[in-house]
Amino acid sequence: MRKEPEQRLPKKAINVWRLQNTIDTVLFALLPTVYYFVQLYIFQSFYQWITWVLIGFVILYGLTKIVIWPVIQWHRFRYEVHEDEVDIKQGVIIVRRTLVPMVRVQHVDTEQGPILRKYKMAAVSITSAATTHMIPTLFIEDADSLRDQISRLASVHEDE
Amino acid sequence: MNELKRQHPAAIFINSAKGLFQLAVPFAIVAFFQNILWIFFIAFGALLVLSTLFSWLVWLKFKYRLEEGELYVEQGIFVKKKRYIQRKRIQAINISAGLLQRLFGLVKVNIDTAGGGMEAEAELVAVTRTEANRIRSELLKDPAVDKSSSETEGGEFSASDVLEESEVVLEAEPNSTWYLGKKRLIYTALTSSGIGLVISAVVAVLSQGIQFIPDSLFAETYDFVIGLSILLLTLTVFVVLLISWLISSLITIITYGNFKVEMYNKEMVIDRGLIERRQLTLAYKRITAVRMIRSILRQPFGFVSIYVESAGGGNNKEQGSTLLVPLIHERDVQAFLEQTMPEYAFAREIESAPKRAAIRFFIRMLIVPIVLTLTAIFIWGTIGLLGLLIVFICGLLAWFQYRDAGSGTNESFMWLRYRTIGQTLVISPKKKIQSATRYVSILQRRKQLSSFEFYVQSSMAGKSFSVRDISRHTSDDIYNWYSHEKTIDKKNNIKE
């Protein structure tokens, strides 16, 4: 097998993902909360113990997604921009490795949501005629220069 | 330079009739059941006038012109839209003649461009056949002829004149033609799997029909039915199935009747349909993948159908693909490819999934039926054993899925073979593949297995094809094959 891509994301990505997953977990926690009140006030015939099972699920989900998941995710994520292609390896349970040839790149964007903005970071998304690929958390200067670099390489390859 | 043209005036009628029909049918049904048919007729009259007026305005404001291989369209009643469609962006031209068009001996022309999504970029609802052919030849067919005239600058004013005269040349004989033929059409119809859809329709109609049976008769038959129960039930199911099968066959015959494919130098023309005739012109270089499907009903007879994926021009009913061949015998496939798309007619060796992968196919298919069967036995006792039948069928399918999984490459093509229920073999040229991904899950990793997926452009953005549980080594090979990087580290190869 050819060599693994070498670039890694900044360590700070772990913090970003932790924050994102915390928000996920909080949303998920609405489920037992809503169930608890529905069970208490509207449908008294519902079982009470289900609330505890749901809370258990939320805690389990939160623990894996906030504590363990981002670390593995960071260790797994590698990417490399070659002259002819972008090579990305990622995934926690299923490890995917994707090749996007420069010839196929239609456009490159940097995107930034509120959480990424807080950390002065941005995501680079690479779009072909059929797919979109993400390098999710880079410092904004790096993201910008990566975007420019890919778009330069892609335009060199303009003709088929 | 050409003058701006309008569509054939029949477009007014066609547009308004189509709009009215869609509106009137549900309304008429409601009106009929509510006994307010007279309101319906008044409303219908008013609508008729309005929609004719509207369609006339649309027709009046819709103008188009062909200029040097470019289509210019101007339309809009309140907001005027002007659009140029360049020849090089056109993916496919679809000429069809629905019932309404046929009344006037006219055709409809759809012009698809890249990235246009589901809707055609330009639609001429009613033009004459010769006009449609002229548009097609100017926009797609034989660009070589046109190029020579535009390259010798100044020849552009005569280009249109030449085209008018040289209709005969542009309507040149195809290089070759493939016909579906009557016999194959009937086989296609009998083995079409559209049955499921039709069953639900038949059941729906039958259950509606029950309302109209008088109560007395109903009561009598009810007693009668109770007496016969099982026998009649089986009979009813059988009749429903039979009727559905016949209807679905008939639909197939109507849509695929007169099916033929004509091959020209740069494009092919797919012709089909008994009542509504469709004609799709597809440029070879737009084709991104060829799929050969062996459906479960057809495989035992050795029949294959062939679809192509193309950027633009797909048929919505076929999930954005184009049906190239409804039915062909396996032994004729190679000859057909040679005739139509010679670059696809190579020997395809397939590296099958390794033995160690088999167990994963069985687990995937069997886990749900086995759990369900055990539950059934637990609840209902011995009768739950019937579930074993389903377990057996799923096991058989798993075996075939395992046997069919595989892949292969040569210098410029790759192909994957996999089965869900029917078997698919998809072939795609390297230069049309948009991206490729290798997947390795935790469980696959222990067994040195991997899945592989690639994307091509189709008429609906992208389409992916994937094969599961091929050997890790094979998928690494394909990954390297797809890589454009020339310098592959030999040292790292040894490490594997």
Side-chain angles (χ1 to χ4, degrees):
Chain A
M1 185 56 191
R2 52 187 270 145
K3 67 181 197 320
E4 302 265 298
E6 268 164 9
Q7 299 288 328
R8 294 195 154 195
L9 299 172
K11 274 253 173 170
K12 222 170 188 174
I14 299 178
N15 294 345
V16 178
W17 294 333
R18 283 202 165 130
L19 185 56
Q20 281 168 349
N21 292 350
T22 310
I23 293 170
D24 270 12
T25 313
V26 169
L27 283 177
F28 191 22
L30 282 176
L31 205 69
T33 320
V34 169
Y35 181 83
Y36 176 75
F37 283 108
V38 166
Q39 173 264 129
L40 199 61
Y41 295 112
I42 307 171
F43 298 105
Q44 266 99 0
S45 59
F46 282 14
Y47 294 110
Q48 206 175 347
W49 55 266
I50 292 183
T51 314
W52 296 106
V53 173
L54 288 174
I55 289 174
F57 274 127
V58 170
I59 290 171
L60 208 66
Y61 178 85
L63 277 180
T64 38
K65 281 295 252 194
I66 298 167
V67 182
I68 312 162
W69 199 274
V71 179
I72 307 177
Q73 202 177 348
W74 183 83
H75 274 283
R76 284 282 162 71
F77 198 102
R78 285 152 177 268
Y79 70 97
E80 189 152 6
V81 178
H82 301 278
E83 199 170 309
D84 299 306
E85 63 205 4
V86 183
D87 194 345
I88 302 173
K89 188 186 169 194
Q90 61 187 323
V92 175
I93 292 171
I94 297 171
V95 182
R96 348 193 257 288
R97 189 155 171 203
T98 306
L99 264 188
V100 192
M102 283 299 171
V103 208
R104 303 278 155 250
V105 175
Q106 289 202 328
H107 58 262
V108 201
D109 301 318
T110 44
E111 294 163 16
Q112 198 182 36
I115 297 174
L116 285 175
R117 189 171 307 136
K118 177 177 176 294
Y119 285 87
K120 297 198 171 54
M121 291 180 122
V124 178
S125 76
I126 304 158
T127 309
S128 76
T131 52
T132 302
H133 310 272
M134 282 273 222
I135 299 173
T137 34
L138 287 174
F139 284 113
I140 198 148
E141 312 84 54
D142 300 334
D144 284 342
S145 71
L146 187 68
R147 179 197 60 206
D148 294 344
Q149 186 195 356
I150 294 173
S151 104
R152 214 168 33 244
L153 288 169
S155 65
V156 170
H157 289 274
E158 185 115 62
D159 57 320
E160 196 159 295
Chain B
M1 196 57 80
N2 294 334
E3 279 304 293
L4 277 170
K5 275 191 184 171
R6 291 208 174 88
Q7 304 179 73
H8 193 281
I12 303 170
F13 171 77
I14 292 173
N15 267 335
S16 95
K18 204 158 51 185
L20 269 182
F21 191 73
Q22 278 167 0
L23 223 84
V25 170
F27 189 48
I29 291 172
V30 173
F32 179 76
F33 283 111
Q34 301 291 322
N35 269 326
I36 44 167
L37 264 180
W38 59 276
I39 297 185
F40 169 72
F41 281 118
I42 293 171
F44 187 79
L47 270 176
L48 188 72
V49 175
L50 275 178
S51 91
T52 311
L53 202 71
F54 183 72
S55 302
W56 174 72
L57 267 175
V58 169
W59 172 81
L60 198 72
K61 294 292 180 185
F62 188 105
K63 293 173 192 166
Y64 70 95
R65 176 169 68 195
L66 283 167
E67 36 189 71
E68 298 147 55
E70 218 176 26
L71 181 70
Y72 169 73
V73 181
E74 202 180 282
Q75 69 187 106
I77 300 174
F78 302 111
V79 185
K80 206 155 232 181
K81 276 194 280 187
K82 293 173 181 177
R83 175 182 276 167
Y84 281 96
I85 297 176
Q86 290 172 357
R87 167 154 68 196
K88 65 171 184 209
R89 291 202 60 225
I90 292 174
Q91 305 283 9
I93 293 181
N94 208 335
I95 298 178
S96 59
L99 270 180
L100 292 170
Q101 275 88 358
R102 288 192 114 183
L103 278 179
F104 298 91
L106 297 172
V107 294
K108 183 169 101 176
V109 182
N110 285 316
I111 292 144
D112 268 331
T113 59
M118 306 276 281
E119 225 159 293
E121 290 269 324
E123 182 176 82
L124 305 176
V125 178
V127 290
T128 59
R129 185 102 221 164
T130 37
E131 177 70 2
N133 284 337
R134 194 178 76 90
I135 292 170
R136 186 171 67 183
S137 24
E138 180 128 347
L139 292 181
L140 251 193
K141 207 171 267 186
D142 254 86
V145 175
D146 207 65
K147 210 177 273 171
S148 62
S149 68
S150 61
E151 264 165 16
T152 57
E153 288 293 338
E156 58 177 73
F157 60 88
S158 67
S160 58
D161 300 10
V162 170
L163 277 171
E164 293 283 327
E165 282 174 348
S166 62
E167 206 93 298
V168 198
V169 180
L170 290 160
E171 271 293 276
E173 287 294 299
N175 297 339
S176 60
T177 309
W178 182 86
Y179 294 96
L180 179 62
K182 280 216 181 62
K183 211 164 115 188
R184 266 196 291 220
L185 175 64
I186 288 166
Y187 286 146
T188 311
L190 296 183
T191 56
S192 73
S193 34
I195 250 191
L197 262 176
V198 181
I199 288 179
S200 42
V202 169
V203 170
V205 169
L206 284 184
S207 61
Q208 285 298 305
I210 287 173
Q211 291 179 12
F212 300 103
I213 300 171
D215 278 354
S216 59
L217 185 72
F218 200 69
E220 275 167 39
T221 33
Y222 187 73
D223 292 337
F224 188 63
V225 168
I226 294 298
L228 288 169
S229 64
I230 289 283
L231 180 69
L232 195 85
L233 207 67
T234 329
L235 202 71
T236 318
V237 170
F238 181 73
V239 167
V240 168
L241 277 175
L242 192 73
I243 294 175
S244 309
W245 185 47
L246 288 178
I247 294 177
S248 118
S249 300
L250 198 69
I251 292 174
T252 312
I253 287 181
I254 289 168
T255 34
Y256 297 142
N258 282 334
F259 197 104
K260 74 176 181 202
V261 187
E262 287 174 339
M263 270 68 64
Y264 297 88
N265 288 331
K266 292 205 158 87
E267 66 278 314
M268 53 188 160
V269 179
I270 303 162
D271 240 309
R272 69 183 213 196
L274 281 184
I275 294 176
E276 180 174 355
R277 285 196 56 203
R278 296 191 157 275
Q279 193 173 50
L280 180 77
T281 310
L282 202 63
Y284 291 126
K285 64 172 181 192
R286 305 287 183 208
I287 293 175
T288 57
V290 171
R291 278 190 297 145
M292 291 178 205
I293 313 283
R294 291 169 166 83
S295 83
I296 204 129
L297 284 174
R298 288 169 187 169
Q299 193 166 14
F301 305 99
F303 283 120
V304 182
S305 38
I306 303 178
Y307 287 80
V308 294
E309 302 300 331
S310 65
N315 185 328
N316 289 346
K317 275 187 211 138
E318 288 151 16
Q319 280 103 47
S321 314
T322 302
L323 179 60
L324 180 63
V325 173
L327 197 75
I328 190 169
H329 200 276
E330 263 160 36
R331 60 171 177 264
D332 302 326
V333 168
Q334 215 54 18
F336 172 79
L337 286 177
E338 240 154 274
Q339 186 190 356
T340 49
M341 295 177 285
E343 68 274 25
Y344 282 85
F346 45 80
R348 292 172 295 275
E349 244 171 70
I350 285 172
E351 177 115 20
S352 296
K355 276 213 182 68
R356 59 179 185 277
I359 184 78
R360 284 178 55 81
F361 285 89
F362 281 103
I363 290 174
R364 212 166 22 229
M365 279 306 288
L366 290 179
I367 194 145
V368 175
I370 284 181
V371 167
L372 285 182
T373 308
L374 287 180
T375 323
I377 292 173
F378 180 71
I379 298 173
W380 295 304
T382 18
I383 197 113
L385 284 171
L386 278 175
L388 286 178
L389 202 69
I390 296 165
V391 173
F392 174 73
I393 292 171
C394 285
L396 208 65
L397 193 58
W399 164 253
F400 279 109
Q401 284 180 343
Y402 154 66
R403 221 194 48 181
D404 285 344
S407 61
T409 52
N410 64 16
E411 60 279 23
S412 44
F413 287 86
M414 78 169 282
W415 50 96
L416 301 181
R417 192 175 68 183
Y418 55 89
R419 176 189 290 276
T420 41
I421 292 175
Q423 185 210 75
T424 302
L425 172 70
V426 56
I427 311 166
S428 194
K430 189 177 186 173
K431 60 175 193 228
K432 296 289 185 194
I433 297 175
Q434 297 289 336
S435 75
T437 304
R438 186 200 64 189
Y439 293 80
V440 184
S441 74
I442 292 172
L443 292 169
Q444 281 177 320
R445 192 166 158 188
R446 288 193 322 174
K447 294 199 155 175
Q448 288 286 304
L449 296 172
S450 133
S451 305
F452 199 86
E453 181 179 40
F454 72 90
Y455 271 88
V456 295
Q457 216 183 336
S458 83
S459 59
M460 298 189 271
K463 204 162 204 176
S464 77
F465 303 103
S466 59
V467 65
R468 272 169 160 171
D469 294 328
I470 54 175
S471 108
R472 174 85 178 259
H473 196 71
T474 316
S475 79
D476 283 351
D477 283 348
I478 312 176
Y479 198 78
N480 285 334
W481 166 86
Y482 183 58
S483 170
H484 292 240
E485 199 71 20
K486 307 296 179 295
T487 53
I488 295 165
D489 242 349
K490 287 280 181 240
K491 275 171 278 169
N492 281 355
N493 266 347
I494 298 162
K495 217 165 64 185
E496 250 273 319

